[in-house]
DNA sequence: CGGCCCTTTGACGATAATCAACGGGAGTGG
DNA sequence: CCACTCCCGTTGATTATCGTCAAAGGGCCG
């Protein structure tokens, strides 16, 4: 199989016959010849190094971005100075839509690893959506999906214990790897414990202790950020949520 | 001034010259003659009694709704049986967009009081959005707004103390009343302590105790669900967030 | 009047935060 | 090459916030 950043949404080679799309990934992919028009407005490439910022909270909103490789973290800082990690974006996922409402990004996006993203200028996406009903629908769905995901996260954070939160998080990462045809059980966490804790509303110490307990109970094996889920069903039982 | 449900988005009388709109409220209002077309697809009325369900989690998604009067609560039940209140919708606000992504509502909406809503069939809204760029943009913004609001709520619930959460909640309610030209300080809470607690990730007892403390510190006066914010700045200081 | 739900208040306890110390790896500079 | 620092992660001891359990009062409606 090709390296991930050269694969199309169908995980075939570049210019796969099914989608004719080589610059942008799953979430906006439409099985239709119209996709070529979308492909034309997408800015390629944009390689990012670890720590590079894709956009900053408060800066003018221009584009949304599709991740092609690597991993991006989005976080926002509240007026009171609290920092909140609002999401991690993996290849095939789209970020930046939070900026639409106020014409400014409400969060900062930073690369956790060397990453590649596609830039999709929003004005052009808007005009194109007026011509391509399927694209408009896709984009409505994408945003609606982000809303329901946020609401699930809210439930997780406000109703579940530390163990349940961490278990759910690991299963979510696993599921997203599976979607990309990668291992369900073995993968690398691109973010620090700090980031995981912040995202889940826990301290770094609690995250570390919970992972320690999972390890002791033979649910997982961890070495730094390398993770192996030894007992998927066991972890699901802890999470009490089906992923 | 007319009763709220008879007022247009500009808080004037029915058929106000500025907007020619008498069926749907602020969030989708566009200062443009095109609005008439939108007005045509909106279903009027729909009076709801306290406890009536507007839609149910898992049922087919057909429409989004604009609240005209009263108050609606949205909540979802996770696979594990946890109930999570995801939002309260007051006059001028729109709910139901969570159903777009999966063609099914991901939450249940129930009237907290006698309420009136307008139904906006989504398929028609979609087609109309293809013709009216401003409407499309408005809807994108509406959804983006919901995303940023959810993320603020997540920060509140995962990073702030019980007192900060309740104070922020009261200030949010106050701000939304102010937008409707109603009193900033004195209003009625349409939801139970249970609902507030669930929404904020707290138990009913904690909510009650926090309100008791606010009362003792002369920040508020409460009598059941009737609230008077005696010291707005004091409450803002507790919330540490500017509303 | 009686039952039910909502709310308040108190006593107690558990979960996760805080405070603190330490080890390891990466990068830097001598 | 080695010392140095910085960041990340782990682990332990203690604390505090909020949840749980329990009881009781008030309002609404049949």
């Amino acid at each position: 199989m090709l390296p991930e950043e050269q694969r199309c949404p169908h995980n075939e080679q570049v210019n796969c016959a099914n989608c004719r799309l080589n610059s942008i990934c799953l979430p906006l992919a439409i099985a239709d010849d119209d996709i070529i028009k979308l492909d034309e407005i997408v800015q390629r490439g944009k390689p990012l190094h670890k720590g590079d910022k894709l956009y900053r909270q408060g800066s003018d909103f221009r584009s949304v971005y599709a991740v092609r490789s690597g991993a991006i973290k989005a976080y926002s800082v509240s007026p009171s100075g609290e920092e909140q990690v609002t999401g991690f974006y993996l290849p095939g996922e789209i970020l930046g839509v939070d900026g639409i409402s106020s014409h400014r990004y409400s969060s900062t996006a930073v690369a956790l690893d060397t990453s590649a993203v596609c830039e999709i200028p929003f004005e052009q996406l808007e005009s194109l959506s007026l011509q391509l009903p399927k694209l408009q629908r896709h984009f409505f769905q994408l945003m609606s999906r982000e809303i329901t995901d946020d609401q699930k996260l809210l439930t997780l954070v406000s109703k579940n214990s530390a163990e349940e939160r961490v278990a759910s998080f690991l299963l979510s990462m696993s599921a997203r790897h599976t979607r990309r045809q990668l291992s369900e059980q073995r993968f690398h966490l691109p973010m620090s414990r700090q980031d995981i804790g912040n995202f889940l509303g826990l301290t770094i110490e609690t995250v570390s202790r919970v992972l320690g307990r999972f390890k002791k109970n033979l649910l997982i094996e961890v070495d730094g950020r390398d993770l192996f889920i030894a007992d998927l069903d066991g972890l699901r039982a802890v999470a009490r949520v089906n992923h």
Side-chain angles (χ1 to χ4, degrees), chain A:
Chain A
M1 195 151 55
L2 287 172
E4 178 148 19
E5 62 275 15
Q6 291 174 32
R7 270 183 273 143
C8 75
H10 300 105
N11 288 294
E12 302 290 334
Q13 76 279 0
V14 172
N15 287 324
C16 133
N18 281 328
C19 70
R20 304 217 221 152
L21 174 70
N22 63 23
S23 64
I24 177 177
C25 315
L26 279 162
L28 280 177
I30 308 168
D32 195 292
D33 287 349
D34 288 341
I35 196 67
I36 293 175
K37 293 190 193 162
L38 173 60
D39 204 39
E40 280 165 8
I41 71 167
V42 172
Q43 316 283 318
R44 309 299 162 81
K46 275 237 175 189
L48 297 170
H49 298 105
K50 179 174 175 169
D52 285 354
K53 302 230 160 81
L54 188 52
Y55 54 77
R56 290 186 154 76
Q57 183 172 9
S59 63
D60 285 347
F61 169 74
R62 287 250 161 60
S63 305
V64 299
Y65 297 88
V67 182
R68 286 190 57 63
S69 68
I72 310 283
K73 167 181 88 169
Y75 67 94
S76 58
V77 181
S78 74
S80 53
E82 308 278 7
E83 205 167 307
Q84 172 72 47
V85 174
T86 53
F88 303 106
Y89 296 87
L90 303 183
E93 300 174 345
I94 289 203
L95 72 161
V97 293
D98 58 79
I100 298 174
S101 62
S102 63
H103 305 286
R104 295 176 181 281
Y105 292 106
S106 69
S107 60
T108 299
V110 59
L112 293 171
D113 275 325
T114 303
S115 305
V117 300
C118 297
E119 179 174 359
I120 310 169
F122 186 66
E123 295 222 343
Q124 294 175 51
L125 182 61
E126 261 187 323
S127 343
L128 197 56
S129 293
L130 293 172
Q131 298 162 39
L132 306 178
K134 282 185 182 169
L135 180 60
Q136 187 195 58
R137 163 160 299 197
H138 242 80
F139 206 68
F140 280 147
Q141 289 179 348
L142 177 79
M143 297 184 73
S144 171
R145 176 74 197 265
E146 180 106 21
I147 291 169
T148 56
D149 284 353
D150 281 352
Q151 290 175 350
K152 279 179 200 153
L153 181 60
L154 178 66
T155 305
L156 188 68
V157 165
S158 80
K159 302 281 186 297
N160 293 68
S161 69
E163 296 208 349
E164 289 161 351
R165 289 183 226 179
V166 175
S168 288
F169 175 74
L170 297 180
L171 290 169
S172 157
M173 292 300 293
S174 163
R176 288 150 82 186
H177 273 260
T178 306
R179 266 213 308 261
R180 287 157 57 204
Q181 321 266 325
L182 300 174
S183 169
E184 187 175 16
Q185 299 188 85
R186 189 178 300 280
F187 49 88
H188 182 81
L189 296 170
M191 71 294 284
S192 69
R193 302 283 190 270
Q194 184 70 257
D195 290 334
I196 298 175
N198 187 303
F199 181 64
L200 295 175
L202 299 170
T203 60
I204 179 175
E205 294 96 328
T206 300
V207 172
S208 183
R209 275 186 252 272
V210 168
L211 289 176
R213 261 174 272 160
F214 286 174
K215 199 170 171 179
K216 209 179 64 183
N217 298 336
L218 304 177
L219 294 172
I220 62 171
E221 294 168 19
V222 265
D223 175 23
R225 299 186 182 184
D226 289 320
L227 184 76
F228 175 69
I229 302 181
D231 182 357
L232 266 171
D233 286 333
L235 203 58
R236 288 193 187 107
V238 173
R240 299 190 313 145
V241 187
N242 295 322
H243 276 282

